[in-house]
Amino acid sequence: MYILVVEDERRLAQLVARVLAEEGHTVDTAYDGEDGLAMALEASHDVIILDVMLPAMDGLEVCQSLRRSKVDTPILLLTALDSVEDRVRGLDAGADDYLPKPFAFQELLARVRALGRRKVQAREPSELRVDDLSLDLRRRRAERTGRVIELSPKEFSLLEFLMRNEGRVVTRTQILDHLWGYDYETDSNLVDVYVAYLRRKVDRGHNRRLIRTVRGVGYALGD
Ligand code: CA
C-alpha cells in the first residue's frame, strides 16, 4: 500500500516508516501538519497515519480539512492522549481509527491492514457511468437518460465489461474469455452478435453512439 506518515517526532516517524517499508509498503513522511495536509492532497494514499499533536496544524485539523476536501483516505490517528473524549474528538474529525501511544508495531501494522481492506471495499463502485448511460451493479440494472434498458444476463456482463474498460479497445478474444471463459473458434461471430444486440438496446434512438467498432481489433465504449 501507499502510506503517508505524519509525525513530528522524527525518530518515531522514521521508525514507523521503516517498519512499514519492511512490510512492503511505500511510505511518504511529513513532520508537521501543513506538510502532511499538502502531501495528502497531492497524492492518493491508501492509508494515512496521523499524529494528533503536531506543529503548524494539529492532526484533528488536518483530518477535518481532508474530509472537507473530499479526501476519503482511511486515517489512523496516533496520540499520547487516551480518554474516551479524545477518541470521540478524533472520530468526529473524520478519522477511521485511533491508536494511543505508546503502541506496539504489530498492532500498528494490524490496524493499517484493516484500514487498507476497508478502502478497497469502499472503492468498489456500486454504479458504473459513462456519459448518460449508467449501470447499477447491485440491482443489475442499466439505464440511459433515465430509461431502463432490459438486458439478458450475458448482455449485462458484456456491457459491464465494456464500461469497466471505458475508452479502451477490448478485443473479441478478451470478450470471449471474459464472458464465456472457454475457447471458441477464433472466427466465431458470437461476440459480434452480442454486441449487435447490445448496441440496439443501448444506442438506438440516441444521437450519441456509445459503442464503437474498432475495425479489425474489437470494440470500445465511450471516447
Ligand atoms: Ca507529536
Side-chain angles (χ1 to χ4, degrees), residues 7-9 51-55 101:
E7 166 63 76
D8 61 314
E9 291 167 53
D51 187 29
V52 171
M53 305 291 269
L54 288 170
K101 290 178 183 173

Side-chain angles (χ1 to χ4, degrees), residues 50-118:
L50 182 61
D51 187 29
V52 171
M53 305 291 269
L54 288 170
M57 187 178 190
D58 77 30
L60 296 181
E61 290 174 87
V62 172
C63 201
Q64 283 164 342
S65 184
L66 286 172
R67 295 313 186 221
R68 269 200 303 273
S69 307
K70 304 281 178 244
V71 173
D72 64 351
T73 308
I75 296 174
L76 173 63
L77 283 181
L78 299 181
T79 183
L81 313 166
D82 183 27
S83 69
V84 171
E85 202 177 300
D86 293 319
R87 263 181 241 197
V88 169
R89 281 208 312 142
L91 299 175
D92 277 350
D96 297 86
D97 200 1
Y98 195 95
L99 188 60
K101 290 178 183 173
F103 50 83
F105 284 112
Q106 285 309 321
E107 183 168 10
L108 177 76
L109 292 172
R111 303 273 183 117
V112 165
R113 275 195 299 274
L115 288 174
R117 278 197 295 274
R118 205 180 296 174

Side-chain angles (χ1 to χ4, degrees), residues 9-29:
E9 291 167 53
R10 284 180 184 251
R11 230 172 47 85
L12 180 60
Q14 284 156 9
L15 199 55
V16 168
R18 202 172 69 217
V19 169
L20 291 168
E22 280 167 7
E23 287 283 300
H25 301 296
T26 304
V27 186
D28 283 340
T29 312

Side-chain angles (χ1 to χ4, degrees), residues 83-216:
S83 69
V84 171
E85 202 177 300
D86 293 319
R87 263 181 241 197
V88 169
R89 281 208 312 142
L91 299 175
D92 277 350
D96 297 86
D97 200 1
Y98 195 95
L99 188 60
K101 290 178 183 173
F103 50 83
F105 284 112
Q106 285 309 321
E107 183 168 10
L108 177 76
L109 292 172
R111 303 273 183 117
V112 165
R113 275 195 299 274
L115 288 174
R117 278 197 295 274
R118 205 180 296 174
K119 165 106 185 190
V120 170
Q121 281 160 5
R123 250 191 207 159
E124 180 61 25
S126 60
E127 188 187 78
L128 301 175
R129 186 171 275 281
V130 175
D131 205 70
D132 54 3
L133 174 67
S134 68
L135 202 62
D136 184 328
L137 298 173
R138 298 219 173 94
R139 291 192 293 163
R140 298 197 65 81
R141 204 161 84 145
E143 281 185 16
R144 188 158 182 195
T145 55
R147 202 178 310 153
V148 176
I149 304 171
E150 299 292 341
L151 296 175
S152 71
K154 272 283 186 267
E155 289 165 350
F156 188 94
S157 302
L158 174 59
L159 185 57
E160 180 182 349
F161 188 55
L162 290 170
M163 288 177 84
R164 284 189 188 274
N165 287 286
E166 180 188 352
R168 283 196 290 269
V169 180
V170 289
T171 65
R172 286 179 179 75
T173 312
Q174 284 171 328
I175 294 174
L176 276 174
D177 279 354
H178 185 78
L179 265 80
W180 284 272
Y182 52 91
D183 286 334
Y184 268 80
E185 293 168 46
T186 44
D187 64 350
S188 164
N189 69 346
L190 193 61
V191 170
D192 306 270
V193 169
Y194 268 93
V195 171
Y197 289 154
L198 194 60
R199 190 173 257 158
R200 214 176 300 154
K201 293 182 174 183
V202 170
D203 279 338
R204 185 188 269 174
H206 293 275
N207 289 329
R208 186 167 142 70
R209 301 291 157 105
L210 292 176
I211 300 172
R212 290 185 291 126
T213 302
V214 182
R215 202 173 283 276

